[in-house]
Every structure is written in C-alpha cells, then in structure tokens.
C-alpha cells in the first residue's frame, strides 16, 4: 500500500514508521523552507506498545515537498490540531485522487460535520479515527509512545470498503482496532478529557508539571466532573472513564495514576514530558459551546 502522511508531526511519524516496518511505502508531504529544518532521518526514541519494548534508532524518512499529478496513493493520513483541519484538507486535496483519507485527531466530535467545504473531496472518501500515540519532536529527535490500539469510526452498521481497508492495514501492522458506531460521541468524550488536562496546563505551565504532582492530577479530574453537565446538555453519554471520575474520589484516582500510568520514568510520563503542544484551543471551544447551551462549567 502506498501511503502519504501530511506533515512530519509526532503522531504521523510514529505511525509512518510502524506502517513502513509492516511493508507499506510511506511518504511525508512537508513544506519547503519555513522555520522547520527537516533532515532526511529522524531519531526515534519510542515505546512501542504493540511489542512492549523501547525503540531507539535513526530512521531514514522519505520527505516529499511536492507530489506530481501522476502519482497515486492508496491512503492519505491527516493528523493535525483541530484548528488546522480545514487548511490540511485544502493542502492534500490536489493529490488525493481516489485515495482514502484517514482523518484522526483530537476533535470535538466528527470534524466533517463542521466543515462546509471539503475542497472538492467526497465525504465518502474519509475515514474518521483517533490515534494512540503521543510525545514530541525537537531538532529531528522524537521522544514518544505508540500504543497498540487505535480507534476507528464506522459510518454504517458494518464496515464499508474504505473502513475495512484501513482496519486491515493497521491490524497487519500489529495494532488492535477498536470500532465505534458512534465515533462522534467517543471523540466528544475524549475532547472533554483533553480540555480538562489543558486547563491545568494553562495554570501550571506544562503537561509534565500537571502529571508529576498528585494535586495536578486531582484538579484535572475535578475539571472533568465539572463538565459532565455539559456533556449531558449536548446529548452525549459520558463514557466509562468519565463516569469513574464522577464516582471514585478524585484524589484516590490521582494517587493511583501517579503511581502507575504517570510514574516518573514510565513511557506515558516520558511522552507527556516531551509534549510541546500549545494548549488552549480545546478549552476555549468547549467554554464557548457550553455558554451557547446555557451551561456553566468553570
């Protein structure tokens, strides 16, 4: 399978590496010039959750600055920040052809529902998913985590041909694929969890400062509880993680998370420590939407 990944971000890079390892041909479409200096290799320091092992290698990465019209891809992967989706689709539209577009990221529900213009692409070409990866890239060095599972939306009662092809691809690379008929609701739930974390990052200065203290994790989960009325006002059923945070004392959960998932030196902790994501967009979006619905969350 020929795969084109938009950009060389931490999510796309890790999946590109994994899919190339499984036999796919993977290209990365990047911009010429600008503030980023792309090298033809990427130094990987990643925890591979599929095999429960650390990966430390220098990976030759196939960068493309332009794509000739005659080149054909089977799949185009787009994983960008929510505010960048419209621009990303406009960028890839000239090279997509009949390829499937896997759009996966942290968004307030299915992003296609908010896009009036798909730059000439058909909505049927898109598959919606959510990645299980994180970390950061500095000076062509990637520190991250690649979980062994991805989330995938199903548009009908059963997988269509494009969704089945994406599922087969990731399974052939050793990933488990969790299918969701209500991917919109799943994404909204996760967006709330993300915004709850971002609120604390804005107060404390970094993701690492949030997870390295019990108070930070406690406050983050307290933020989640405050947003349950917002989910209900949107008609979205809170998922199991959010329900647990509303039932179990948050300080107890925070203590458990600090000793397990976010224990200093763990893969998840290290990925958070290198995360350079500019927070705030999700918080502002949820606050505006809650105000529209007449719900006070903060």
């Amino acid at each position: 399978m020929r795969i084109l990944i938009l950009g060389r971000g931490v999510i796309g890079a890790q999946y590109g590496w994994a899919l190339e390892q499984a036999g796919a041909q993977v290209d990365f479409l990047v911009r010429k010039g600008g503030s980023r200096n792309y090298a033809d290799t990427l130094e990987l320091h990643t925890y591979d959750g599929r095999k429960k092992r650390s990966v430390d290698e220098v990976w030759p990465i196939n960068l493309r600055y332009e794509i000739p019209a005659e080149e054909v891809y089977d799949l185009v992967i787009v994983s960008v920040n929510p505010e960048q989706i419209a621009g990303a689709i406009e960028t890839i539209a000239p090279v997509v052809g009949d390829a499937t577009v896997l759009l996966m990221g942290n968004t307030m529900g299915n992003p296609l529902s908010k896009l009036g213009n798909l730059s000439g692409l058909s909505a049927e070409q898109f598959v919606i998913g959510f990645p299980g990866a994180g970390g950061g890239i500095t000076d062509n060095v990637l520190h991250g985590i690649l979980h062994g599972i991805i989330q995938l939306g199903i548009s009908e009662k059963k997988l269509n041909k494009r969704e089945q092809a994406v599922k087969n691809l990731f399974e052939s690379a050793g990933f488990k694929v969790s299918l969701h008929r209500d991917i919109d609701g799943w994404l909204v739930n996760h967006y709330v969890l993300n915004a709850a974390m971002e609120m604390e990052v804005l107060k404390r200065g970094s993701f690492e400062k949030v997870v390295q203290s019990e108070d930070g994790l406690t406050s983050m989960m307290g933020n989640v509880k405050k947003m349950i009325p917002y989910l209900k006002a949107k008609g979205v059923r809170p998922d199991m993680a959010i329900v647990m945070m509303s039932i179990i004392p948050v300080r107890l959960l925070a203590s458990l998370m600090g000793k397990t998932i976010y224990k200093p030196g763990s893969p998840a902790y290290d990925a958070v420590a290198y995360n350079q994501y500019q927070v705030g967009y999700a918080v502002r979006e949820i606050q505006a939407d809650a105000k529209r619905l007449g719900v006070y969350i903060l």
Side-chain angles (χ1 to χ4, degrees):
M1 182 175 281
R2 295 199 70 202
I3 300 170
L4 181 67
I5 299 177
L6 179 63
R8 196 217 54 178
V10 66
I11 304 296
Q14 291 184 88
Y15 281 115
W17 170 80
L19 295 173
E20 186 176 276
Q21 291 281 311
Q25 179 182 331
V26 180
D27 294 339
F28 290 83
L29 179 60
V30 297
R31 293 180 180 178
K32 282 185 178 180
S35 59
R36 294 185 180 182
N37 179 27
Y38 294 112
D40 57 4
T41 60
L42 185 63
E43 185 177 334
L44 292 173
H45 301 284
T46 298
Y47 180 78
D48 188 347
R50 298 168 301 166
K51 302 177 181 179
K52 305 295 189 295
R53 67 180 181 90
S54 295
V55 175
D56 297 285
E57 67 174 71
V58 176
W59 174 41
I61 186 168
N62 193 21
L63 301 177
R64 303 292 303 274
Y65 295 96
E66 55 186 47
I67 307 296
E70 64 272 14
E71 288 209 41
V72 176
Y73 289 93
D74 302 295
L75 177 68
V76 178
I77 298 178
V78 177
S79 183
V80 295
N81 299 338
E83 66 271 26
Q84 299 171 323
I85 292 175
I89 291 175
E90 185 178 351
T91 297
I92 64 167
V95 301
V96 168
D98 189 47
T100 296
V101 180
L102 173 58
L103 186 57
M104 57 179 182
N106 193 29
T107 57
M108 175 98 89
N110 188 335
L112 295 185
S113 64
K114 299 179 182 179
L115 294 175
N117 178 18
L118 296 180
S119 298
L121 300 180
S122 167
E124 284 70 33
Q125 289 182 257
F126 287 82
V127 175
I128 307 301
F130 185 86
I137 299 177
T138 303
D139 296 330
N140 297 306
V141 179
L142 185 154
H143 292 268
I145 185 170
L146 184 64
H147 296 288
I149 187 170
I150 70 164
Q151 315 296 323
L152 200 66
I154 304 176
S155 55
E156 302 292 340
K157 290 185 177 181
K158 63 179 183 179
L159 294 164
N160 62 34
K161 289 179 64 176
R162 294 181 186 273
E163 292 162 351
Q164 186 68 59
V166 172
K167 179 175 181 289
N168 292 346
L169 170 69
F170 280 89
E171 287 181 338
S172 71
F175 293 96
K176 293 180 180 179
V177 179
S178 180
L179 302 176
H180 300 272
R181 288 193 177 91
D182 180 20
I183 191 64
D184 186 77
W186 192 95
L187 287 169
V188 172
N189 269 278
H190 193 277
Y191 204 64
V192 162
L193 290 171
N194 182 73
M197 174 70 85
E198 286 194 18
M199 290 175 189
E200 292 310 305
V201 176
L202 289 169
K203 295 175 185 176
R204 299 167 191 265
S206 72
F207 285 94
E208 185 175 20
K209 288 181 179 178
V210 175
V211 302
Q212 70 182 183
S213 71
E214 188 175 310
D215 284 346
L217 289 170
T218 299
S219 296
M220 184 271 286
M221 286 183 280
N223 293 336
V224 174
K225 291 182 69 172
K226 294 175 184 177
M227 286 191 279
I228 291 177
Y230 165 68
L231 285 174
K232 293 180 178 179
K234 282 186 72 67
V236 175
R237 183 178 180 180
D239 66 12
M240 185 59 68
I242 291 177
V243 170
M244 286 180 60
M245 291 180 193
S246 69
I247 297 175
I248 302 174
V250 291
R251 187 163 291 277
L252 174 61
L253 278 176
S255 178
L256 290 172
M257 291 177 70
K259 294 174 181 177
T260 54
I261 299 172
Y262 293 121
K263 181 180 179 180
S266 69
Y269 183 96
D270 290 344
V272 166
Y274 284 99
N275 190 343
Q276 301 171 13
Y277 178 71
Q278 297 297 311
V279 302
Y281 184 87
V283 176
R284 294 190 297 272
E285 187 174 15
I286 286 180
Q287 286 176 331
D289 197 38
K291 183 177 180 181
R292 178 185 64 84
L293 294 170
V295 179
Y296 179 79
I297 59 175
L298 290 177

